[in-house]
């Protein structure tokens, strides 16, 4: 087992999540292959989403998470990463919080990411396929929590 390779993939995943939360589209672009597929198992927008191609993924994230109307935080851990040459797969436990200021909503959920990665000499490791199905997802109106006060960040 090559621990250096596993650490590279862990850092790639963390960079992806930080890119989403900080709206750093450059980090996301560099984390995904051009032909990446995202299968986001959220029901918050109706049906689960399947996006094909880095451009489609980035466009969706920019349109739906961009600007200052939505705050997100993703936390992933417990990685199980298997490497075979220049390909790898990984499973990650994760939790996320989404605050939709405009609609006064808080969405929380948890799932397991199932991912595939590829390595190239030019770009190093990138995410080729990212998917999850929710273990749970809850949505609550901030109006239902009259004592709720954000002390930072929102």
């Amino acid at each position: 087992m090559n621990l250096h390779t596993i650490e590279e993939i862990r850092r790639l995943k963390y960079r992806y999540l930080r890119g989403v939360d900080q709206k750093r589209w450059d980090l996301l672009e560099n984390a995904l292959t051009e032909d990446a597929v995202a299968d986001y198992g959220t029901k918050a927008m109706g049906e689960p989403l399947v996006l094909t191609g880095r451009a489609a993924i980035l466009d969706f994230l920019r349109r739906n998470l961009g600007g200052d109307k939505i705050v997100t935080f993703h936390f992933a851990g417990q990685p199980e990463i298997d490497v075979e040459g220049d390909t790898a797969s990984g499973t990650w436990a994760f939790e996320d919080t989404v605050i939709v200021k405009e609609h006064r909503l808080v969405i929380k959920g948890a799932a397991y990411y199932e991912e595939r990665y590829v390595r190239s000499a030019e770009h190093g490791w990138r995410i080729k396929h990212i998917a999850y199905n929710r273990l749970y997802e809850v949505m609550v109106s901030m109006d239902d929590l009259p004592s709720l006060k954000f002390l930072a960040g929102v």
Side-chain angles (χ1 to χ4, degrees):
M1 176 184 313
N2 184 335
L3 294 179
H4 178 73
T5 298
I6 290 173
E7 183 62 18
E8 288 176 330
I9 294 170
R10 287 168 41 120
R11 290 177 58 86
L12 167 67
K13 179 63 177 179
Y14 299 149
R15 204 167 38 252
Y16 168 86
L17 294 173
R18 185 165 51 89
V20 170
D21 293 338
Q22 293 180 338
K23 302 167 190 346
R24 291 277 313 274
W25 314 124
D26 59 320
L27 291 179
L28 289 171
E29 183 173 1
N30 290 324
L32 299 167
T33 63
E34 190 173 337
D35 62 345
V37 173
D39 186 352
Y40 297 133
T42 179
K43 305 260 177 163
M45 299 184 75
E47 292 299 314
L49 304 162
V50 178
L51 305 165
T52 302
R54 179 174 56 207
I57 297 167
L58 289 172
D59 180 61
F60 171 81
L61 293 173
R62 280 186 185 110
R63 280 187 294 110
N64 291 281
L65 301 181
D68 63 355
K69 294 180 181 179
I70 293 185
V71 177
T72 64
F73 181 75
H74 294 77
F75 179 81
Q78 299 169 233
E80 301 169 51
I81 300 169
D82 296 307
V83 180
E84 191 169 315
D86 289 331
T87 64
S89 61
T91 300
W92 301 77
F94 90 96
E95 288 186 307
D96 64 336
T97 301
V98 178
I99 301 168
V100 187
K101 296 188 283 187
E102 181 179 25
H103 298 291
R104 300 192 44 76
L105 295 172
V106 176
I107 303 165
K108 284 201 58 76
Y112 284 93
Y113 275 111
E114 298 286 339
E115 299 180 338
R116 291 192 305 275
Y117 315 96
V118 295
R119 176 172 48 192
S120 71
E122 183 180 356
H123 302 293
W125 288 101
R126 288 196 170 175
I127 300 168
K128 183 169 183 61
H129 188 265
I130 183 169
Y132 64 81
N133 284 307
R134 290 287 194 183
L135 296 173
Y136 77 88
E137 185 171 60
V138 296
M139 184 171 13
V140 64
S141 170
M142 289 185 230
D143 297 334
D144 293 339
L145 306 168
S147 65
L148 177 69
K149 288 183 186 176
F150 287 98
L151 302 177
V154 177

